[in-house]
Amino acid sequence: MILLTGAAGFIGSYLLGNLNGIGRYDIVIVDDFERSAKQPNLRNKIYEAKIQRQDLWQWLAGEHPKIEYVIHLGARTDTAEQDQTIFDELNLSYTKRIWEYCTQEQIPLIYASSAATYGDGSLGFVDDHALVPRYAPLNPYGWSKQTFDQWALTQTETPPAWFGLKFFNVYGPNEYHKGRMASVVYHTYKQISETGKMKLFRSHREDFADGEQKRDFIYVQDLAQVIRFLMKRQPDSGLYNLGTGQARTFNDLVKNVFSSLLLEPKIEYIDTPADIRDAYQYFTEADMSKFRATGYRSPFLSLEEGVQKYVQQFLSLRKYY
């Protein structure tokens, strides 16, 4: 069976549905299932057992399940959260226990890292292990992911195969519960529906025009396909970027949402909130050469393709995946 944490969240629930789509139903799902806002993500999903996050260790000790793969996507992902103790508990201590269990039982592990580990991007976005100690994230969330990545790279006892995936800007269905942390695609659709226009952060740097800040936006479908590839192929263990490898502007993204709705774009620029202004990234772009060297040949959806699919097949129809 597969053990999937964070299964009620955005990426986890999408992956669960994707695995169901290829006939995998022998999945144990783990999450904080008391959050009612995430419950719709699990509708029509098939799984073997449902375990509360805090009960996982007792369940494993009592059931001694035969697990083929652990996919650990559970984490606190709020980049504006400043309480370090939350990240220490959920993103560090919990993940270390997952790692140690996989090592003890010799189970391959895939876990979610983040592009937030790269900080302001001044050192680039290269998933070279030798560069990892030099990266300086801009917020506690990024540091929690960076600290675990560094810890993992120092371990002499490891799972038989392990992959830390540095997710870039992911968007797609099942993120509706994320509030402020939902993708810009989601917020653009929501604002257009409510006001007919979209507000974007203006630039506070002279080298970027308003709305020309860039991100590597990746559709969640591509993440699911990459995870399935890693489960099947098991290339060299380590950290891997997971973006498209092509940065696009927020103006591009917003215009594509308007286009998907057959509307002319109306964009207004506002100041970046003070609480995130100093930690705001102006450019991210995954160097995907290391991952491509594993033999993965499938193209990633372009921003145009991904936005159109998300808007027309999910957001406009109020559908979950």
Side-chain angles (χ1 to χ4, degrees), residues 228-287:
R228 285 168 47 190
F229 167 82
L230 290 172
M231 291 173 66
K232 183 177 181 179
R233 284 289 297 269
Q234 290 194 10
D236 291 342
S237 295
L239 303 174
Y240 287 92
N241 281 338
L242 189 41
T244 65
Q246 182 177 11
R248 300 290 299 274
T249 70
F250 284 108
N251 284 332
D252 286 338
L253 182 149
V254 169
K255 289 174 182 177
N256 273 288
V257 176
F258 276 102
S259 176
S260 296
L261 293 168
L262 304 179
L263 297 172
E264 290 296 318
K266 294 181 180 179
I267 304 173
E268 178 182 332
Y269 300 101
I270 62 173
D271 286 341
T272 305
D275 65 332
I276 64 171
R277 190 177 302 173
D278 292 340
Y280 187 78
Q281 292 174 306
Y282 277 70
F283 177 85
T284 67
E285 184 176 80
D287 182 326

Side-chain angles (χ1 to χ4, degrees), residues 81-198:
E81 176 63 66
Q82 296 299 312
D83 187 346
Q84 186 66 50
T85 61
I86 293 175
F87 293 114
D88 287 345
E89 176 188 355
L90 298 180
N91 294 10
L92 280 174
S93 297
Y94 200 91
T95 308
K96 286 181 179 180
R97 290 189 73 178
I98 292 281
W99 174 284
E100 289 162 357
Y101 177 79
C102 289
T103 300
Q104 175 185 322
E105 301 297 327
Q106 286 296 282
I107 303 168
L109 168 66
I110 294 173
Y111 74 86
S113 181
S114 172
T117 56
Y118 290 117
D120 63 5
S122 59
L123 297 177
F125 301 91
V126 183
D127 45 7
D128 183 337
H129 292 177
L131 297 175
V132 170
R134 299 174 57 191
Y135 294 131
L138 300 175
N139 51 50
Y141 164 70
W143 274 112
S144 71
K145 294 296 187 178
Q146 167 78 351
T147 302
F148 183 81
D149 287 347
Q150 289 183 276
W151 179 86
L153 290 173
T154 64
Q155 300 307 295
T156 56
E157 296 185 357
T158 72
W162 66 272
F163 310 100
L165 302 182
K166 290 176 177 278
F167 295 158
F168 278 66
N169 286 70
V170 190
Y171 66 97
N174 298 12
E175 62 170 332
Y176 315 125
H177 64 283
K178 291 177 66 67
R180 182 181 180 181
M181 292 299 115
S183 73
V184 180
V185 181
Y186 172 79
H187 284 296
T188 300
Y189 175 82
K190 191 169 184 290
Q191 285 192 36
I192 293 172
S193 300
E194 294 172 354
T195 69
K197 61 184 179 181
M198 175 58 182

